[in-house]
Amino acid sequence: MRAFNFSAGPAALPVEVLEQAASEMLDWHGSGMSVMEMSHRGREFTSIIETALADLRELLGVPANYKIMFLQGGGIAENAIIPMNLLGKRSKANYVVTGSWSNKSQNEARKYGDVHIAASTEGSYTRIPSFDTWQVERDAAYLHLCSNETIDGVEFNAFPDLGELPIVADASSHILSRPLDVSRFGVVYGGAQKNIGMAGVTIVIARDDLLDQMMPICPSAFTWKTVAANDSMFNTPPTYAIYIAGLVFQWLKRQGGLAAIEQKNIAKADLLYETIDSSDFYVNKVERSSRSRMNVPFFLADETLNEAFLAGAKARRLLQLKGHKSVGGMRASIYNAVQIDAVQALVDYMKEFERTRA
Ligand SMILES: *Cc1c(COP(=O)(O)O)cnc(C)c1O
């Protein structure tokens, strides 16, 4: 009954998580209520959010001097929330532009301060520019980057050491797909609907010493210091989305944690990229060392076959493969919840389509 779902987001969730949510829908743990219906300050929901926070801290190995917050607004709201939280003392920030999402981020930040583009591949988002070419302004408040460009399929595999200058990373589409050394960053953030859970909750992990440089105009509900001081309960948090994220964290722990899921993600990405690279029928334009393991954009060499490719895929229950409108072609998003059998079904179909249409 379930299709193979390659959506970029909102994206596939683990079946076990959906089944558990279904079984707990009407009566969560004998409370007589669904999670949607209970007070966010009650004993039941307090245990849900505390467990979710502890599991996320354990999975990612978040150091004690970082706060984990659950906010609303998604990655796009963070494009404004970040400068408003960090540009109070210094009014300038560095931005690295490696794709559509980081480009959006720098554009929004211009409303709040001076943006310095430290590096950019605008015109052809197919690589991470080598760190020694970056022109970083050291007296700025931070450097922002997008660690996985969901639309363009470009991913950072390593990060520069910028000394005192905090790195702020939009990790929306690959957070929890691989281990990440949080101590290398000032802030790591992401919306949940790619690799964590459902739309509606945004996770912000921020180093304690960065919680004191907000601009006076920053709305209270988005002021990290206020949100953190209130344990993400300054306003009503997106309770059901936090509950689902918590179920995904427990599922990830049962999978063996991030090192184990990374091995599965490498195997899935290798299978798909090898299929693309071994044929002239399919093309991926991203430099090999910068290719995303989560989002794999690819093109048919003969683009007049695009509609036929998508129709054939749909007939095989391979869904949501159409590329982002700004890029065209196809895109397969293969997040944690997408199993290798889905990728195998996709590459089998790609080979068959090539045989019959080439
Ligand atoms: C999806 C995405 C966003 C935007 O998320 P919204 O929830 O729509 O605000 C931002 N950055 C990246 C990298 C994304 O993948």
Side-chain angles (χ1 to χ4, degrees):
M1 184 185 69
R2 301 249 320 146
F4 295 121
N5 182 354
F6 299 97
S7 171
L13 282 164
V15 173
E16 295 94 316
V17 166
L18 296 173
E19 284 172 342
Q20 189 177 343
S23 77
E24 295 176 344
M25 175 63 82
L26 297 184
D27 178 10
W28 184 83
H29 294 206
S31 65
M33 298 176 267
S34 87
V35 174
M36 275 179 251
E37 301 168 298
M38 50 181 66
S39 165
H40 59 296
R41 302 197 189 279
R43 188 170 48 86
E44 293 92 348
F45 188 74
T46 302
S47 79
I48 290 172
I49 193 170
E50 283 178 356
T51 305
L53 282 168
D55 285 341
L56 178 55
R57 193 173 284 279
E58 180 187 331
L59 278 165
L60 257 182
V62 178
N65 61 326
Y66 286 72
K67 296 284 188 292
I68 304 178
M69 291 164 268
F70 293 128
L71 286 98
Q72 300 182 51
I76 290 185
E78 283 305 319
N79 288 339
I81 295 169
I82 285 162
M84 280 196 281
N85 273 278
L86 297 177
L87 289 183
K89 291 188 175 151
R90 305 171 190 214
S91 59
K92 183 166 58 180
N94 294 281
Y95 278 75
V96 173
V97 176
T98 53
S100 313
W101 283 117
S102 51
N103 196 28
K104 257 197 167 99
S105 297
Q106 65 84 18
N107 241 327
E108 181 78 359
R110 289 176 193 278
K111 292 184 182 173
Y112 304 98
D114 295 331
V115 166
H116 169 73
I117 303 297
S120 174
T121 56
E122 196 173 0
S124 172
Y125 293 137
T126 53
R127 66 194 173 87
I128 302 300
S130 88
F131 303 151
D132 55 23
T133 65
W134 294 16
Q135 312 256 312
V136 178
E137 301 222 340
R138 300 279 168 171
D139 60 341
Y142 61 91
L143 178 137
H144 178 281
L145 55 81
C146 176
S147 49
N148 184 65
E149 291 279 2
T150 321
I151 292 174
D152 307 281
V154 177
E155 182 171 10
F156 280 79
N157 286 299
F159 298 93
D161 186 351
L162 301 179
E164 298 284 292
L165 187 70
I167 299 177
V168 176
D170 177 358
S172 294
S173 52
H174 76 160
I175 190 167
L176 302 186
S177 70
R178 57 196 296 169
L180 185 75
D181 181 358
V182 173
S183 72
R184 304 276 311 270
F185 300 88
V187 179
V188 177
Y189 71 97
Q193 74 271 26
K194 312 291 167 62
N195 210 25
I196 288 182
M198 53 175 273
V201 62
T202 315
I203 290 171
V204 175
I205 304 170
R207 211 172 63 209
D208 286 341
D209 62 288
L210 299 174
L211 298 182
D212 235 338
Q213 39 191 74
M214 60 290 227
M215 299 169 70
I217 59 160
C218 187
S220 308
F222 292 135
T223 299
W224 293 339
K225 191 176 185 181
T226 306
V227 173
N230 287 279
D231 297 321
S232 298
M233 299 273 192
F234 176 74
N235 62 335
T236 309
T239 51
Y240 200 77
I242 292 169
Y243 158 71
I244 294 289
L247 296 185
V248 172
F249 300 153
Q250 286 166 19
W251 174 81
L252 269 172
K253 285 170 73 176
R254 292 196 300 276
Q255 304 298 302
L258 301 193
I261 205 83
E262 176 181 39
Q263 292 311 312
K264 292 184 183 172
N265 287 331
I266 290 172
K268 282 151 46 186
D270 282 352
L271 178 59
L272 185 47
Y273 283 116
E274 275 162 22
T275 302
I276 294 166
D277 291 342
S278 64
S279 108
D280 299 327
F281 194 81
Y282 301 106
V283 191
N284 169 281
K285 298 176 182 170
V286 179
E287 279 185 8
R288 279 171 194 247
S289 61
S290 304
R291 283 174 165 179
S292 170
R293 290 178 189 159
M294 294 286 102
N295 309 99
V296 183
F298 63 93
F299 298 86
L300 275 62
D302 177 358
E303 295 229 275
T304 64
L305 295 175
N306 282 357
E307 289 311 314
F309 179 86
L310 287 167
K314 197 170 169 202
R316 283 163 187 74
R317 308 280 283 155
L318 302 159
L319 302 185
Q320 315 209 62
L321 282 165
K322 192 174 177 153
H324 189 272
K325 59 183 184 306
S326 66
V327 174
M330 309 297 154
R331 172 175 52 170
S333 295
I334 48 176
Y335 298 122
N336 287 347
V338 177
Q339 303 293 314
I340 189 118
D341 63 335
V343 182
Q344 188 64 56
L346 173 60
V347 303
D348 288 347
Y349 169 62
M350 289 168 70
K351 286 177 184 163
E352 183 197 314
F353 188 82
E354 176 176 356
R355 258 197 321 274
T356 54
R357 298 298 186 118

